[in-house]
Amino acid sequence: MILGLLLALLGGLLVSLQNIFNNRVNVHVGNWGTTTLVLGLGFAASFTLGLVFEGGALFHLEHMQLWYCFSGLIGVGVVTCMVQGIERLGPTFGISISMCAQLGFALLFDSMGWLGLEKVDFTFKQLVGVLVVVGGIIVFKAGGREKQKSVNKKVMNA
């Protein structure tokens, strides 16, 4: 369990870093250039590491549903939406909203047993947990707005 927690934390760190890097790339090459670069380099790295660590087993896909192959297309949407969301909302708020959406949809998919997932009973505690996270983001954003107003007043009065 500890290893799972550490890997999940590392995954969160890496997603946040990737989103910030993607946003910086987007400033220079635009949305589609960013998506192409990110997913192209990701393909090259994954393909190379897959060959090194798995060899020919990398291509054994006989027990996989065909529609799972479309996850790469979903990746195009992820990169595009995150780059644009961060550009419009800033990194902290954009990533926070994305995390809330991930949590909410993961809870929905688990609770409904969709997409081949084992159905997990929906509990009031899970709902409260999601609402606490969403409430925290609202407080965070509202607190930032008040601070920005006071900064703007000081600049106007100077």
Side-chain angles (χ1 to χ4, degrees):
M1 182 162 161
I2 296 295
L3 180 58
L5 290 171
L6 292 173
L7 290 171
L9 287 170
L10 179 60
L13 167 70
L14 293 174
V15 167
S16 294
L17 280 175
Q18 182 187 28
N19 286 322
I20 292 168
F21 280 38
N22 292 353
N23 187 260
R24 296 294 88 213
V25 172
N26 187 57
V27 168
H28 298 285
V29 300
N31 197 41
W32 292 112
T34 299
T35 303
T36 303
L37 181 66
V38 167
L39 295 178
L41 287 173
F43 168 77
S46 296
F47 187 72
T48 302
L49 291 170
L51 286 175
V52 168
F53 290 106
E54 295 183 13
L58 178 66
F59 303 105
H60 292 170
L61 308 174
E62 66 268 357
H63 298 294
M64 187 176 76
Q65 296 287 333
L66 178 62
W67 56 280
Y68 291 150
C69 293
F70 292 99
S71 67
L73 296 176
I74 295 169
V76 172
V78 170
V79 171
T80 301
C81 291
M82 287 306 301
V83 165
Q84 293 299 310
I86 288 172
E87 184 177 310
R88 288 168 172 74
L89 301 172
T92 305
F93 193 45
I95 291 170
S96 297
I97 295 298
S98 175
M99 285 175 25
C100 281
Q102 288 177 49
L103 184 59
F105 282 108
L107 179 59
L108 176 67
F109 295 153
D110 273 351
S111 298
M112 302 303 281
W114 290 346
L115 304 172
L117 296 174
E118 184 178 326
K119 189 173 181 177
V120 176
D121 290 333
F122 180 79
T123 66
F124 183 70
K125 287 181 192 178
Q126 292 168 326
L127 177 62
V128 169
V130 171
L131 293 176
V132 165
V133 171
V134 172
I137 290 171
I138 291 169
V139 168
F140 171 82
K141 186 60 179 172
R145 201 173 316 154
E146 293 301 317
K147 184 177 179 181
Q148 185 63 39
K149 284 180 185 176
S150 69
V151 168
N152 289 344
K153 273 186 181 177
K154 288 179 184 177
V155 169
M156 297 279 244
N157 293 333

